[in-house]
Amino acid sequence: MIKILALSGSLRARSSNTAILRSMIGLAFHDMKISLDDQIGVLPHFNPDLDQEIVPASVKIWRDRLQEVDGVIICTPEYAHGIPGVLKNALDWLVSSGELVNKPIAVISASPSPDGGAHAHTSLIQTLTVMAAVIVEDATLRLPAVSAKLSRTGEVVDSATAQALLSLLKALVAAIEREAIALDTGL
Ligand code: FNR
């Protein structure tokens, strides 16, 4: 069973980014489970003084959840040309503990703007790269004009977008399988 965590950078109830991740849960194929994160909004502000042997309970749950999954899909909006603070905060809690090291990650940014949140997309990839995550080739996507691609109830109604999301998921799974083989063989 391949386990994937879907992580939205938006806490908004009617978030387009979360809607995209929900639609990807419906794309899960063969032996795969995609679960939507519900944790990052309750994490404390990152503070190195709290990053000790015993960490706050929510941080432990967050780290354990990341440890359990084989890959991650992040779908995020852009706020003021950066990634949302809540997402950066959640990632900062993983720097010292290293749950993202060698973990295959798909990166999506979605925005009503024409560039699909390009600044946030680039910045997120930089952060994940320095954290030694595996940014999967063919699993990075910017979704511009996202509102037009979703129905009022949040389903993806644009067929090119649906196709792109499926291709991205396949690329992520292929990378997870490659990573597992590398671990098994020690390569
Ligand atoms: C935005 N938005 C935005 N969009 C963008 O493309 N570049 C930007 O720099 C910003 N900055 C920004 C700041 C703040 C505080 C807000 C609230 C919004 C617009 C943003 O992309 C839009 O609200 C998305 O719909 C947010 O994503 P969710 O919540 O729908 O997933």
Side-chain angles (χ1 to χ4, degrees):
M1 167 75 83
I2 291 177
K3 286 182 263 172
I4 295 174
L5 184 70
L7 178 57
S8 175
S10 174
L11 299 180
R12 204 164 66 87
R14 290 174 56 81
S15 159
S16 46
N17 284 273
T18 308
I20 284 156
L21 290 172
R22 286 214 171 90
S23 82
M24 293 190 76
I25 290 173
L27 296 177
F29 45 93
H30 57 77
D31 214 9
M32 182 197 310
K33 182 159 192 266
I34 306 176
S35 23
L36 189 63
D37 167 75
D38 58 0
Q39 192 62 27
I40 66 168
V42 303
L43 291 170
H45 291 153
F46 177 70
N47 175 348
D49 290 344
L50 300 179
D51 192 7
Q52 304 294 336
E53 205 171 323
I54 296 178
V55 289
S58 59
V59 173
K60 167 118 181 48
I61 293 169
W62 168 236
R63 288 177 173 174
D64 288 350
R65 194 158 293 172
L66 264 300
Q67 190 70 50
E68 283 161 16
V69 295
D70 305 296
V72 181
I73 307 169
I74 301 179
C75 188
T76 187
E78 173 173 284
Y79 288 166
H81 284 192
I83 67 171
V86 70
L87 176 59
K88 183 63 166 57
N89 185 56
L91 295 177
D92 286 345
W93 275 114
L94 306 176
V95 171
S96 66
S97 48
E99 286 79 4
L100 290 188
V101 173
N102 294 333
K103 185 122 356 191
I105 311 221
V107 176
I108 309 170
S109 59
S111 167
S113 78
D115 71 2
H119 301 278
H121 197 263
T122 304
S123 168
L124 179 55
I125 288 175
Q126 270 174 8
T127 297
L128 293 169
T129 301
V130 87
M131 292 173 73
V134 177
I135 312 296
V136 177
E137 211 187 331
D138 300 327
T140 63
L141 182 65
R142 282 189 284 121
L143 289 176
V146 69
S147 325
K149 290 165 178 156
L150 296 171
S151 71
R152 232 184 290 166
T153 46
E155 284 86 25
V156 175
V157 288
D158 175 59
S159 59
T161 301
Q163 193 53 51
L165 293 173
L166 182 60
S167 301
L168 177 142
L169 187 58
K170 286 181 178 167
L172 176 63
V173 169
I176 289 171
E177 286 170 346
R178 277 198 304 274
E179 203 63 36
I181 291 168
L183 266 181
D184 277 356
T185 55
L187 292 174

